Amino acid sequence: MGCLLNCMCNRDPMAHAHVNFTRSGLPIKEMKHIAKVTWGDESAVDQIGDYTPINPYKMKRLQWVIARRLHHATQDCTRESNRMQKLLSCSGTRISSVFSSFKGKAAQKIINSFLDDSYPEFIACVRSNCSRLRATFTDIVDAFRQLNTPTFKELLLEQRKSWRQAMERRDRLEALLRIQMKPYKKTVDQLCAIPGVKELAALKILSEIGTDLSSFRSSEAFCSWIGICCGNNEPAGKAKKSGTPKGNNYLRAYLTEVGQAIALVKTYTTVLRKVFQAFKERRGHNRAVVAIAHKIARIIYTMIKNSIAYVEISSPTLEKIRLKKLRASINNAKEVGISLQKLSVVKDSTGEILSDT
C-alpha cells in the first residue's frame, strides 16, 4: 500500500527502493534528470511537499518498485527455506541423506504429515510416498524419530509458517507485477525468444529499463550503466586486477540469473550455450556467466532499440576453442614420444577437413 500511495502522491512510503532515491540527498534538479532518463519524464518525481497527481511516468516508477520488492521477496524465500533445512538437520540427522531436496513433493508431504498429523497417519504417509524417494521406509522413519519432540516440532511449525508467508508475499508481488506490465506484453514476448529468458525474468528486466533506450548512445554504454562489463583499473599504465564496475545491481542480478540458466542447459542446442561453454573452457564458470550476461544485455539493447526479433546466428567460437585444444594436445603428446599417424580432424556436418596430424 505504501508503494501505491507513494506513486500516486509521492508521500512517505515503506519501500526501500523508493526511499533510497527520494531521500538520497540529491538536489531536486538532479533527481528530475535521473527520473527523465530512467522513467521518461521529470514528472515521475516531485519535490518533497510539492506533490502532483498520478501520471504514466509514475506508473512506470511503480513497476520499478514492485520488481525490486519482488527481488527482495524472492531472496527472503530462499533464506527461509535455508533456515528450514538447517533446522531439520540440526538434530544430528542430515535430511539430505533422506531427501535429495526437502522442497520436493514427496518430501513436503512427509514433513507436513509429521508436523500436522498423528503418528499412525505419518507412518501411512511415509509408506505411500517412500517409493518415490531414494531412502527406504526404515531410514525415513528413523530420521524423523530423532525430531519427534514437542519443542522441536514447535520450532519447525514456526519456521514453516515464516516460509509460507514469504512465499505468499512473493506470489502476490509477482501477480501484481504481471498486472502492471500488461501494456508491454509484446516486448515481453520478444525478450522471451532469447534462450534462458523466461517470462518473469523478462518482466523484471523490462521494469528496470523500459522500452525507451534512446538515452544510451550504444550497447557498450548500456552495459556500462548496468555494470556488466569489464572494469578499468590501470594506474600509471600498469594493469591490475579489477572486477565489474558499479552499476544497476538489480538488473545485473537478473541478467546473471539468465546466464546461470543458460549454464544449466546440458545440450549445445543454442548459440548462447555454445558461446558460454567456450567462455567457460577459457576463463572458468563464474567469468563465463558474467560474459554471457553481458552478451544478453547487448542483445536486449539491440532488440528494443531497433524493434527487431531475436534471430540466432551460428558462431564457430566453441569449435575454434576445441580445435585449438586438440592441436595443443597432439603437440604436447609428441614431446613425450607419442604421435598420431594418418588421422584427420573432420567436421561431421560438412565433411570438411579441419586439421591433419
Side-chain angles (χ1 to χ4, degrees):
M1 182 58 71
C3 295
L4 293 172
L5 289 175
N6 164 66
C7 287
M8 292 177 66
C9 46
N10 202 25
R11 299 188 183 278
D12 187 24
M14 294 302 294
H16 296 292
H18 162 76
V19 171
N20 292 339
F21 177 64
T22 57
R23 306 292 178 177
S24 62
L26 289 173
I28 187 63
K29 183 178 179 181
E30 296 298 329
M31 292 173 64
K32 284 186 175 292
H33 174 70
I34 294 172
K36 184 176 181 180
V37 172
T38 308
W39 298 296
D41 194 82
E42 295 180 353
S43 61
V45 63
D46 297 329
Q47 188 171 1
I48 297 176
D50 183 17
Y51 307 117
T52 59
I54 188 68
N55 58 50
Y57 304 103
K58 288 186 177 181
M59 292 305 295
K60 288 184 180 180
R61 187 175 171 187
L62 174 62
Q63 297 159 4
W64 172 72
V65 173
I66 293 172
R68 294 196 171 192
R69 289 175 70 85
L70 175 59
H71 178 72
H72 290 299
T74 305
Q75 291 179 330
D76 290 341
C77 287
T78 304
R79 293 189 190 99
E80 295 297 338
S81 66
N82 290 340
R83 291 182 185 125
M84 184 75 174
Q85 185 171 10
K86 289 178 182 177
L87 190 58
L88 286 167
S89 302
C90 73
S91 66
T93 301
R94 292 190 63 84
I95 293 299
S96 59
S97 64
V98 179
F99 305 130
S100 57
S101 173
F102 85 102
K103 292 185 284 188
K105 292 183 179 179
Q108 280 297 300
K109 286 182 180 179
I110 292 174
I111 292 172
N112 291 334
S113 179
F114 172 75
L115 295 175
D116 299 331
D117 302 333
S118 62
Y119 190 74
E121 293 174 335
F122 166 68
I123 293 296
C125 181
V126 174
R127 198 180 299 278
S128 62
N129 289 280
C130 65
S131 60
R132 302 168 59 184
L133 302 171
R134 64 184 182 185
T136 63
F137 170 79
T138 306
D139 293 336
I140 298 172
V141 173
D142 289 343
F144 277 91
R145 185 174 290 118
Q146 299 185 40
L147 309 177
N148 195 16
T149 61
T151 304
F152 206 82
K153 269 194 171 184
E154 191 64 32
L155 285 173
L156 287 173
L157 285 168
E158 186 66 28
Q159 184 55 44
R160 185 183 66 173
K161 181 180 178 181
S162 299
W163 184 26
R164 286 180 174 178
Q165 288 175 345
M167 289 192 293
E168 289 171 0
R169 179 170 176 267
R170 179 200 61 190
D171 293 341
R172 289 195 302 270
L173 287 169
E174 184 178 329
L176 187 58
L177 181 64
R178 292 180 190 277
I179 293 172
Q180 290 296 320
M181 297 298 290
K182 277 185 179 180
Y184 306 97
K185 187 177 185 305
K186 183 179 178 181
T187 308
V188 170
D189 293 339
Q190 286 181 339
L191 295 184
C192 288
I194 304 173
V197 179
K198 302 300 181 185
E199 184 185 8
L200 184 57
L203 291 172
K204 292 192 288 186
I205 291 171
L206 204 58
S207 68
E208 288 286 338
I209 64 177
T211 56
D212 183 11
L213 300 181
S214 59
S215 301
F216 305 100
R217 64 181 183 275
S218 64
S219 59
E220 289 83 359
F222 178 63
C223 293
S224 178
W225 172 72
I226 298 172
I228 201 73
C229 59
C230 298
N232 184 13
N233 186 16
E234 193 173 341
K238 185 177 180 181
K240 293 186 177 181
K241 183 179 179 181
S242 64
T244 55
K246 294 181 179 179
N248 189 324
N249 292 332
Y250 293 90
L251 188 51
R252 180 165 49 187
Y254 304 153
L255 292 170
T256 304
E257 288 174 3
V258 174
Q260 293 284 11
I262 292 174
L264 292 174
V265 178
K266 295 183 179 180
T267 57
Y268 304 143
T269 55
T270 63
V271 174
L272 288 176
R273 181 63 180 88
K274 293 179 182 179
V275 172
F276 171 83
Q277 187 63 27
F279 282 132
K280 181 180 178 181
E281 292 179 7
R282 288 174 54 206
R283 304 289 291 169
H285 180 86
N286 292 339
R287 286 189 175 96
V289 169
V290 176
I292 206 69
H294 169 84
K295 192 171 186 66
I296 292 170
R298 297 185 65 173
I299 291 172
I300 291 173
Y301 174 86
T302 304
M303 290 175 63
I304 295 178
K305 185 74 176 290
N306 301 325
S307 299
I308 58 176
Y310 175 77
V311 179
E312 286 216 337
I313 301 175
S314 61
S315 173
T317 305
L318 184 58
E319 293 179 6
K320 290 180 180 179
I321 294 294
R322 294 280 174 88
L323 184 59
K324 184 178 179 180
K325 283 189 173 183
L326 182 59
R327 286 172 176 166
S329 298
I330 293 172
N331 292 332
N332 292 337
K334 290 178 181 179
E335 293 177 0
V336 294
I338 300 173
S339 62
L340 300 175
Q341 299 179 358
K342 298 181 180 180
L343 292 176
S344 299
V345 179
V346 181
K347 192 172 182 179
D348 292 339
S349 59
T350 60
E352 177 187 359
I353 297 176
L354 301 177
S355 177
D356 291 322
T357 57

